[in-house]
Amino acid sequence: MAVGYRAILRLEDSTSAIDLAGEQVHDWIVSKVKGRRGGTMSRDEWAGEGRHVLSPNVEVIVTKWAAEAGGSRLQLIRLRDINPYGTWTVSIYALDRPASSQYEQTLVVDVDIEGATDDEASDRVRPPRLVKQLLSHAVVRDGSTRLYARPRVVEIQDVPEVFRAIKDPDRTASVIIAPSLGLQTMDGWTQVLEQLTKDSVGVATVFILTGEARERLAHLLPDSHAVERGNIRTFAPGVDLESPADGASHRYLGATTLARSLLGLRVREGLQIQHAREARRRFLKLTLPDDVEAAFRILTREEARVLRSSKVRERLQTHRSSHPVRPAFPAVPVSPTLAEPPALSDAQELVELERTAPDLLETQHGGVDSPRPVDPARPMPSPAVTALLRRLTSMVGRWLKKPRFELSHLDELDEFIEMQDQYQEVVYEENEELRRKTEALEADLKTARSENDALEFELKVSEDDSQAAYRMTQTLRRQLLELREFDRAYAFDEESELWTAPPDMSELMARLDPKQGEQPHPITTHVVFSGDVATALKVGRHDGFGRHASSLWLFLRILHDYAAFRKDGTFSGSVHAYLEDDTSPQGTKCSTERHARTESDGVLNNPRLRSYRILPAPTRDEAARTVLMAAHFKPTKNDGYAPRLHYLDDLDESGCIYVGYIGEHLPLPKKY
């Protein structure tokens, strides 16, 4: 399973985490039962440790643990729900550690979905309503920062709390700052912020600043960390106000981007997911606090015991229903005392021994003691039965811890062996499942190492490019200074917000959509995106800081400027010629190493690989709705994940450039 959401909630010492979890989980499940029309839940009550089946598709597993000393208690409530959208598991860990010097009461809420990758789970899982309930019923902190169930409106007198939250060195949650647009719009702005950040509940705290509060905060923050009116800034953990470079680590959502995703006061779901993604993924990647990690280990072990016992009991019931227990030995009438008792069969002897065994033998510490005196009138067992009796007495003492043997103990011994047999089967199946998980983790580790190598390669290339650009800048600046062109030597052209690099893939794709916003982005004048939006957005899963989004935006701007120059007659060559020619118009450009005019022969001559490059161009004539797009841009030389942008220069035919694909590197010939 892949965890798609996690929240660690630190409670006040006076609030019992176990009691709060029990109450709120119960109310939450009751509300799910009442609110689910034709849903899968048929019962909303459970009691005690164990596995409780609420319906064929829903179960609750309760696990408890208590320390022998110190008073620490742990509890895990795990709800598993199978519905048309998958198998979902919500886990609520409660830690009650009265002897702890730091956090006595803690709740952890995990949500995972079976069969999904980590990235898929992060996008599909939404915070359960339970988290908002918990935040509403208790004071919850992360470090010293208070976590709220809803955005909090901050007046000027509350600015110190916001400033402390931003600087809090112990917090792991994000702090989202959203200056208001004015008192007359406060209610609507609050509603927009609540929708925008609803996927961040439990992993971020949201402050809406009034005008006076924003001005007060502006005096406390350096320019690198400032929050402008209309922008929404997310401060990640570990803020360093002394470092201007640190400001780049704390992303902001611009007013233009937000406006494109608004439908009245409703925020498009895609922006909600995108805005929460970074904070949630960071939470999942963090090393668990020591107390939480220890609790996870203990409860995971205890839950395995609970589930194992439950499985064994279920299998025993199934086995016994299909294999009825054999009846005990039939009663054999015992003859009255005779001078010469008749010979008895082995079965009759055992029946008689059941009556006389306590007088014949005594078991001490699992062994057989010396025989007691017996009535000579009673029939004596044969040597074989005596040996059998001694053996059975030893077995009963060893396995059932019984001091004396009785014939009824054979049934108990049979049940004990049957249970152990079922137990071994369950353990074998668990070991097989662990083996499969280990193999999957090893494969994931191999992939992660490969991706890490690719990232190191990309970083090396980027550093080389950056150093080359710096040297070029210094050379040109020195030449301008020698010509006494002082103003030009230190000039810096500021771009309008329309053309600055987007912070993420969601914003990039919004700019390419001519239907978003009241006015389409100017880039759509010459560039038409005809590919799959969902595939392009997947790039964002590997782009936590917007590096790929920035590179792809550069390539799109190159295509836009090239098309503009072609249309006005300023330039007449190809895209590659435009990049190569230093005398061509000075529009947006990049190194020719980032552009490929076509694919290799190994790709073009392979029908399967070529088919991946046959991409849509929907506004062309009916006979050519798809076309080969071999030309592409590449953020790095790496052939790993690094995304690609495939396009068709169709200016001569349709007057536009089609971008048919943005996404992961398309398949290449196998290397042996």
Side-chain angles (χ1 to χ4, degrees), residues 115-167:
T117 64
D118 291 341
D119 292 331
E120 290 170 345
S122 179
D123 287 347
R124 291 179 60 188
V125 171
R126 318 302 289 270
R129 189 171 59 254
L130 170 68
V131 176
K132 186 172 283 189
Q133 287 179 211
L134 294 169
L135 294 174
S136 299
H137 284 80
V139 175
V140 177
R141 298 189 182 278
D142 175 53
S144 61
T145 301
R146 174 83 181 269
L147 298 181
Y148 296 96
R150 292 177 174 83
R152 181 175 180 231
V153 176
V154 175
E155 302 287 350
I156 189 170
Q157 66 271 15
D158 298 320
V159 169
E161 178 190 354
V162 178
F163 187 59
R164 285 194 301 270
I166 292 173
K167 296 195 306 175

Side-chain angles (χ1 to χ4, degrees), residues 107-340:
L107 289 173
V108 182
V109 181
D110 274 8
V111 185
D112 55 58
I113 180 170
E114 190 173 290
T117 64
D118 291 341
D119 292 331
E120 290 170 345
S122 179
D123 287 347
R124 291 179 60 188
V125 171
R126 318 302 289 270
R129 189 171 59 254
L130 170 68
V131 176
K132 186 172 283 189
Q133 287 179 211
L134 294 169
L135 294 174
S136 299
H137 284 80
V139 175
V140 177
R141 298 189 182 278
D142 175 53
S144 61
T145 301
R146 174 83 181 269
L147 298 181
Y148 296 96
R150 292 177 174 83
R152 181 175 180 231
V153 176
V154 175
E155 302 287 350
I156 189 170
Q157 66 271 15
D158 298 320
V159 169
E161 178 190 354
V162 178
F163 187 59
R164 285 194 301 270
I166 292 173
K167 296 195 306 175
D168 185 357
D170 297 322
R171 70 174 171 86
T172 54
S174 297
V175 172
I176 300 174
I177 309 295
S180 70
L181 303 177
L183 291 177
Q184 67 275 15
T185 61
M186 182 64 79
D187 291 342
W189 186 236
T190 302
Q191 185 176 337
V192 167
L193 262 295
E194 186 164 359
Q195 284 208 18
L196 174 67
T197 61
K198 70 178 185 179
D199 281 1
S200 303
V201 172
V203 299
T205 194
V206 185
F207 296 110
I208 300 177
L209 275 57
T210 63
E212 291 181 341
R214 188 193 71 80
E215 292 178 4
R216 174 73 180 277
L217 183 64
H219 290 297
L220 300 174
L221 294 175
D223 292 342
S224 57
H225 294 74
V227 184
E228 301 297 332
R229 185 182 178 196
N231 290 337
I232 301 168
R233 191 155 195 178
T234 300
F235 287 94
V239 174
D240 183 2
L241 298 179
E242 302 298 324
S243 170
D246 179 69
S249 302
H250 312 292
R251 312 282 295 282
Y252 69 88
L253 177 67
T256 304
T257 303
L258 179 60
R260 285 200 188 93
S261 295
L262 286 179
L263 299 172
L265 295 178
R266 293 176 52 224
V267 180
R268 293 180 187 270
E269 184 179 59
L271 184 59
Q272 296 173 14
I273 295 173
Q274 182 70 29
H275 190 261
R277 180 179 290 143
E278 184 179 342
R280 287 173 48 173
R281 287 186 177 177
R282 182 176 58 251
F283 238 84
L284 293 173
K285 292 178 181 178
L286 285 174
T287 301
L288 289 172
D290 291 343
D291 59 330
V292 174
E293 185 176 10
F296 273 31
R297 286 199 303 267
I298 293 171
L299 287 170
T300 298
R301 183 183 66 239
E302 291 300 304
E303 184 187 39
R305 174 187 56 79
V306 169
L307 290 176
R308 191 177 299 123
S309 299
S310 176
K311 287 180 182 178
V312 169
R313 286 194 299 270
E314 291 172 2
R315 293 191 179 199
L316 280 174
Q317 292 175 357
T318 302
H319 184 264
R320 288 171 181 171
S321 63
S322 58
H323 300 81
V325 179
R326 292 182 301 174
F329 289 108
V332 178
V334 180
S335 302
T337 302
L338 300 174
E340 294 183 4

Side-chain angles (χ1 to χ4, degrees), residues 2 8 19 35 59 184 214 216 236 375 391 415 637 662:
I8 299 177
D19 292 345
E59 65 180 16
Q184 67 275 15
R214 188 193 71 80
R216 174 73 180 277
D375 185 351
R391 180 61 177 154
E415 291 179 4
K637 299 176 183 178
I662 295 177

Side-chain angles (χ1 to χ4, degrees), residues 469-537:
Y470 176 77
R471 289 193 298 270
M472 176 66 74
T473 300
Q474 292 299 97
T475 300
L476 294 174
R477 177 169 290 164
R478 185 169 58 254
Q479 292 174 355
L480 287 170
L481 290 174
E482 290 173 354
L483 296 171
R484 305 186 68 80
E485 295 283 351
F486 301 110
D487 292 339
R488 293 177 62 190
Y490 294 99
F492 180 78
D493 293 333
E494 292 190 4
E495 296 179 314
S496 67
E497 184 182 346
L498 279 174
W499 292 104
T500 55
D504 49 51
M505 288 301 299
S506 179
E507 168 61 9
L508 184 144
M509 298 313 298
R511 294 181 186 183
L512 289 177
D513 185 354
K515 299 178 182 178
Q516 287 219 21
E518 296 180 0
Q519 292 185 344
H521 194 283
I523 202 166
T524 60
T525 305
H526 306 305
V527 178
V528 175
F529 180 71
S530 56
D532 182 60
V533 174
T535 300
L537 289 175

Side-chain angles (χ1 to χ4, degrees), residues 314-539:
E314 291 172 2
R315 293 191 179 199
L316 280 174
Q317 292 175 357
T318 302
H319 184 264
R320 288 171 181 171
S321 63
S322 58
H323 300 81
V325 179
R326 292 182 301 174
F329 289 108
V332 178
V334 180
S335 302
T337 302
L338 300 174
E340 294 183 4
L344 301 177
S345 68
D346 287 350
Q348 290 172 322
E349 284 190 19
L350 287 175
V351 172
E352 176 64 15
L353 284 173
E354 183 180 18
R355 182 173 64 85
T356 61
D359 294 330
L360 291 172
L361 300 170
E362 179 180 2
T363 303
Q364 293 180 350
H365 306 296
V368 179
D369 207 354
S370 57
R372 287 181 175 182
V374 296
D375 185 351
R378 291 182 178 177
M380 294 299 295
S382 65
V385 172
T386 299
L388 175 61
L389 176 62
R390 290 179 179 274
R391 180 61 177 154
L392 289 173
T393 302
S394 175
M395 291 175 64
V396 165
R398 179 182 180 187
W399 298 112
L400 302 183
K401 310 303 180 186
K402 302 288 186 181
R404 297 174 182 274
F405 171 77
E406 296 179 7
L407 195 60
S408 62
H409 291 161
L410 290 177
D411 292 333
E412 294 182 40
L413 192 59
D414 181 59
E415 291 179 4
F416 175 81
I417 295 172
E418 184 181 31
M419 179 172 288
Q420 293 303 310
D421 179 61
Q422 297 299 325
Y423 180 86
Q424 292 300 322
E425 287 188 15
V426 170
V427 170
Y428 174 79
E429 292 173 1
E430 289 178 350
N431 287 337
E432 283 298 294
E433 179 65 21
L434 287 174
R435 182 185 59 79
R436 287 192 292 270
K437 288 182 178 179
T438 300
E439 291 176 351
L441 288 173
E442 289 174 349
D444 290 344
L445 180 60
K446 183 177 180 181
T447 300
R449 285 173 174 167
S450 177
E451 291 179 352
N452 184 65
D453 291 342
L455 287 172
E456 288 186 358
F457 178 79
E458 290 182 22
L459 181 60
K460 177 65 169 61
V461 172
S462 297
E463 288 178 348
D464 290 346
D465 288 348
S466 178
Q467 291 175 12
Y470 176 77
R471 289 193 298 270
M472 176 66 74
T473 300
Q474 292 299 97
T475 300
L476 294 174
R477 177 169 290 164
R478 185 169 58 254
Q479 292 174 355
L480 287 170
L481 290 174
E482 290 173 354
L483 296 171
R484 305 186 68 80
E485 295 283 351
F486 301 110
D487 292 339
R488 293 177 62 190
Y490 294 99
F492 180 78
D493 293 333
E494 292 190 4
E495 296 179 314
S496 67
E497 184 182 346
L498 279 174
W499 292 104
T500 55
D504 49 51
M505 288 301 299
S506 179
E507 168 61 9
L508 184 144
M509 298 313 298
R511 294 181 186 183
L512 289 177
D513 185 354
K515 299 178 182 178
Q516 287 219 21
E518 296 180 0
Q519 292 185 344
H521 194 283
I523 202 166
T524 60
T525 305
H526 306 305
V527 178
V528 175
F529 180 71
S530 56
D532 182 60
V533 174
T535 300
L537 289 175
K538 288 180 180 179
V539 173

